[in-house]
Amino acid sequence: MRIHARAGQGAITTAALLGTAVFMEGGYAYAFPSFGAARMGAPMNAFIRISDRAIRLRSQIYNPDYVLVVDPTLIRNVDVLAGVKDNAVVVINSREPLFLNSKSAGIKIIYVPATEIAMRHLGRPLGNTALLGAFAAVSETVKLESLKEVVKRRFPGEIAEKNIAALSEGWEAACCG
Amino acid sequence: MKDFIEGSEAVARAVCLCKPGVISAYPITPQTHIVEGLAQMVADGRLKSQFVNVESEHSAASVVLGAVAVGQRVFTASSSQGLILMSEVIFNIAGMRMPVVMACVNRALSAPINIWNDLQDSMALRDSGWVQFYAENNQEAADLIFQAYRLAEDPRALIPVMVCLDGYILSHGLEVVDIPEEDKVTQFLPPFNPSEKLDTANPKSFGLLAGPDYYLEIRHDLHQTVKDALTLIPDITADFKRIFGRNSGGLVESYRLEDAEMAIVSAGSVCGTIKDTVDVLRAEGKKVGLLRIITYRPFPEELILQALAKVPMIAVLDKAVSLGASGPIYADLKAAFQGKPGKKISGYIAGLGGRDITPDTIKEIFKQLAGPEVSDQFIGLKN
């Protein structure tokens, strides 16, 4: 999976939460960032590989099965669909469909109003957990329950609860939206 | 206990289990998370250690040198420009036979300024008298910390050890790591109890002037001691396996070299990418393999000669360059095979400044290895 965000928007935390959930389910993951300009607000990627055995491959991901777009303003300057596999699933943080020039006919694009969900539950525009919930809904990779458990362990009481609510709403938005 | 953590945290937790009495460091990307983690452990009271904030890496290295000289177990970490600023002290630490353990989170050197990964920083200090270990993954990075203290403080060694891990790829990359229980670490690593230390009740000095009458012998002794670590390291890794139940660290690792017609020699996390690519090429019927250098200094020449004895074509992949010469591992390998006929040994330089090394890069190196013999061929240059 390739995550598109700006530095400071929590892409690495998103990848870490997902990887930890996979690890808790007995799988293996390797999550890592790639910074461009290495400063807040600059476009960056986080990547995560998931497998049932230890991962040795260290290169970046050029042909993702999944793409997560945390910040939709990036699509003006960044080709978020670059190299995606023919049957890739792309989860984009947006209330409404955006114009994306897709060369692959089979890719599935899902729009989730993650920022609105986050504002409602967290009061801050951090849509990452809502997007993760959406990802759990559209992939067989990880269970929503595992993500909830990871959030519960990672964040203190109230923040965890709010994020779990955002996770669930993201999940619903993707499977019912 | 297994956890999903980044390499920096794995190293910080391993260091914490070794209970250094003094830690000093100056933050520099991408090493920062290691010492941030340790500072937090000290602040939380989980680690009883004196954390000394300093104004530069030169001071950080000087603080740990002073602390180890009075008999404290110490730790520091750095990267790139920070490591290079330390270098004056780095050489002194080895010359005074001080068992300092440090982590080098590998990053390119300026100029131009570049925060991304390659091995140029630690490679520039290969001649300093430090043992250098290169980790392939986060588990090994943590395990090498325990082994580094064990080796450094061995009365037969008393030499500093640098554990190198690739910046971002490992330091900021999260994967499953098994952090051992404290009792196993206690069993593996005895308390640091040096026979010689600075003591106000019994004054002495380290690092005094040695003129032409003595210097040659002292350098010879240090050289010999660093080389002798080649016999200590296999015992340490065997003991590590006995206590922790896993193979980790060591001198070199052979991967699918039996019957190999082509092999790549390299170090660090790129070896994981090479292993995966070797598997793909093997599945296509190509006889290829990897020799991974874990201990680069001292240079395990005999083991390398044995491991590659039957491999006719050898590519050395260096993520560093001795500007105006060749890649450093390539030069060492050529020297090791000097006078031994029937080998093609080519040197390739890739991945400088964080340029991604992909399976295609590795395939390209194997492809070029079949061509003319080269010494310093850069891979992936843009026109």
Side-chain angles (χ1 to χ4, degrees):
Chain A
M1 176 199 280
R2 185 174 67 211
I3 301 173
H4 293 273
R6 295 183 187 278
Q9 288 180 331
I12 301 168
T13 307
T14 308
L17 292 172
L18 176 55
T20 310
V22 168
F23 159 64
M24 275 172 40
E25 290 180 7
Y28 289 87
Y30 170 50
F32 59 106
S34 169
F35 293 102
R39 59 177 72 96
M40 296 279 276
M44 59 82 68
N45 293 120
F47 300 96
I48 179 161
R49 275 194 184 91
I50 293 169
S51 175
D52 51 9
R53 52 184 208 146
I55 294 160
R56 303 182 298 192
L57 183 59
R58 300 294 176 183
S59 55
Q60 294 174 20
I61 294 172
Y62 298 93
N63 304 114
D65 296 296
Y66 297 96
V67 174
L68 224 61
V69 181
V70 176
D71 188 333
T73 65
L74 284 168
I75 68 166
R76 270 180 255 144
N77 302 314
V78 179
D79 181 7
V80 299
L81 299 181
V84 293
K85 289 191 181 155
D86 286 341
N87 54 350
V89 180
V90 180
V91 181
I92 299 177
N93 175 11
S94 176
R95 234 180 338 189
E96 56 215 15
L98 304 167
F99 177 74
L100 283 171
N101 194 6
S102 165
K103 291 183 191 78
S104 330
I107 70 161
K108 190 173 168 186
I109 301 179
I110 291 159
Y111 298 95
V112 176
T115 301
E116 279 83 351
I117 295 172
M119 286 306 288
R120 217 174 312 126
H121 294 287
L122 303 164
R124 294 177 68 196
L126 296 169
N128 310 65
T129 38
L131 289 172
L132 273 181
F135 169 74
V138 297
S139 83
E140 308 266 295
T141 311
V142 70
K143 296 190 186 78
L144 181 65
E145 288 311 311
S146 310
L147 287 169
K148 286 182 182 173
E149 184 59 34
V150 171
V151 167
K152 206 185 291 178
R153 288 189 199 177
R154 169 81 182 242
F155 300 106
E158 203 185 340
I159 299 172
E161 279 169 34
K162 289 173 176 173
N163 273 292
I164 286 170
L167 263 175
S168 300
E169 201 173 328
W171 192 88
E172 281 159 24
C175 68
C176 319
Chain B
M1 199 187 77
K2 282 188 181 171
D3 210 344
F4 187 73
I5 52 176
E6 62 173 29
S8 297
E9 189 174 345
V11 167
R13 287 201 205 171
V15 170
C16 182
L17 285 165
C18 296
K19 298 178 183 152
V22 174
I23 300 166
S24 185
Y26 189 81
I28 183 167
T29 299
Q31 160 272 161
T32 311
H33 289 185
I34 295 178
V35 290
E36 274 179 3
L38 287 165
Q40 192 67 54
M41 290 169 193
V42 173
D44 293 348
R46 283 178 283 157
L47 172 59
K48 299 268 179 284
S49 181
Q50 190 164 352
F51 193 101
V52 185
N53 282 309
V54 286
E55 78 289 359
S56 78
E57 287 86 356
H58 189 281
S59 300
S62 300
V63 165
V64 294
L65 167 56
V68 78
V70 297
Q72 288 294 313
R73 181 174 287 163
V74 297
F75 180 77
T76 188
S78 198
S79 294
S80 182
Q81 305 309 108
L83 187 75
I84 296 307
L85 183 56
M86 278 184 178
S87 64
E88 191 254 347
V89 189
I90 292 277
F91 278 77
N92 267 301
I93 287 169
M96 290 187 219
R97 304 285 301 271
M98 294 298 171
V100 173
V101 169
M102 78 171 293
C104 172
V105 180
N106 288 110
R107 165 185 152 181
L109 293 173
S110 300
I113 192 165
N114 176 297
I115 61 165
W116 293 268
N117 166 254
D118 64 33
L119 299 185
Q120 292 187 88
D121 49 2
S122 58
M123 284 287 168
L125 293 179
R126 65 184 178 161
D127 300 337
S128 62
W130 284 57
V131 172
Q132 286 191 339
F133 292 144
Y134 287 83
E136 182 191 325
N137 51 48
N138 290 352
Q139 183 69 63
E140 194 175 47
D143 293 345
L144 284 170
I145 292 289
F146 307 120
Q147 297 182 22
Y149 279 111
R150 171 80 177 260
L151 172 64
E153 295 171 3
D154 188 309
R156 293 166 292 179
L158 290 174
I159 42 176
V161 182
M162 188 181 294
V163 176
C164 303
L165 63 152
D166 284 311
Y168 294 110
I169 299 168
L170 297 184
S171 67
H172 291 57
L174 296 99
E175 59 187 6
V176 179
V177 181
D178 189 357
I179 299 293
E181 291 81 38
E182 194 178 331
D183 62 324
K184 284 187 179 165
V185 178
T186 313
Q187 201 186 335
F188 177 73
L189 183 63
F192 177 42
N193 194 11
S195 59
E196 303 289 329
K197 61 180 177 185
L198 291 181
D199 179 357
T200 49
N202 179 23
K204 66 177 74 165
S205 293
F206 289 120
L208 292 174
L209 179 79
D213 285 349
Y214 294 102
Y215 186 89
L216 183 71
E217 285 72 22
I218 293 170
R219 288 314 257 190
H220 170 263
D221 286 353
L222 177 58
H223 173 60
Q224 200 57 49
T225 305
V226 177
K227 277 174 75 175
D228 287 347
L230 290 171
T231 61
L232 300 178
I233 292 166
D235 290 345
I236 290 172
T237 49
D239 208 38
F240 185 88
K241 188 180 182 194
R242 183 178 64 78
I243 294 170
F244 297 88
R246 62 175 167 267
N247 279 316
S248 211
L251 296 171
V252 297
E253 180 196 2
S254 295
Y255 187 78
R256 305 192 80 167
L257 281 178
E258 71 294 345
D259 80 347
E261 287 163 3
M262 287 183 174
I264 293 183
V265 178
S266 199
S269 67
V270 72
C271 292
T273 303
I274 299 172
K275 285 175 182 174
D276 267 20
T277 311
V278 162
D279 286 359
V280 169
L281 293 172
R282 281 267 175 184
E284 294 169 7
K286 301 202 170 74
K287 292 183 175 175
V288 295
L290 161 74
L291 181 71
R292 179 167 74 95
I293 293 177
I294 306 166
T295 303
Y296 177 56
R297 284 291 180 272
F299 192 64
E301 184 172 309
E302 281 306 316
L303 274 182
I304 290 170
L305 290 175
Q306 280 170 28
L308 297 172
K310 290 178 185 157
V311 184
M313 286 184 274
I314 301 162
V316 182
L317 167 51
D318 271 294
K319 284 170 72 174
V321 55
S322 176
L323 295 166
S326 67
I329 303 177
Y330 167 79
D332 290 328
L333 210 84
K334 277 294 264 191
F337 280 99
Q338 191 264 341
K340 295 185 169 50
K343 293 267 184 223
K344 181 199 269 186
I345 304 176
S346 280
Y348 302 95
I349 292 152
L352 301 190
R355 182 72 60 85
D356 202 19
I357 295 181
T358 68
D360 284 344
T361 318
I362 305 305
K363 286 177 187 165
E364 175 66 21
I365 288 170
F366 277 123
K367 196 175 131 198
Q368 290 202 19
L369 180 59
E373 195 167 12
V374 293
S375 61
D376 56 351
Q377 182 67 49
F378 279 61
I379 300 292
L381 283 181
K382 293 174 188 163
N383 290 320

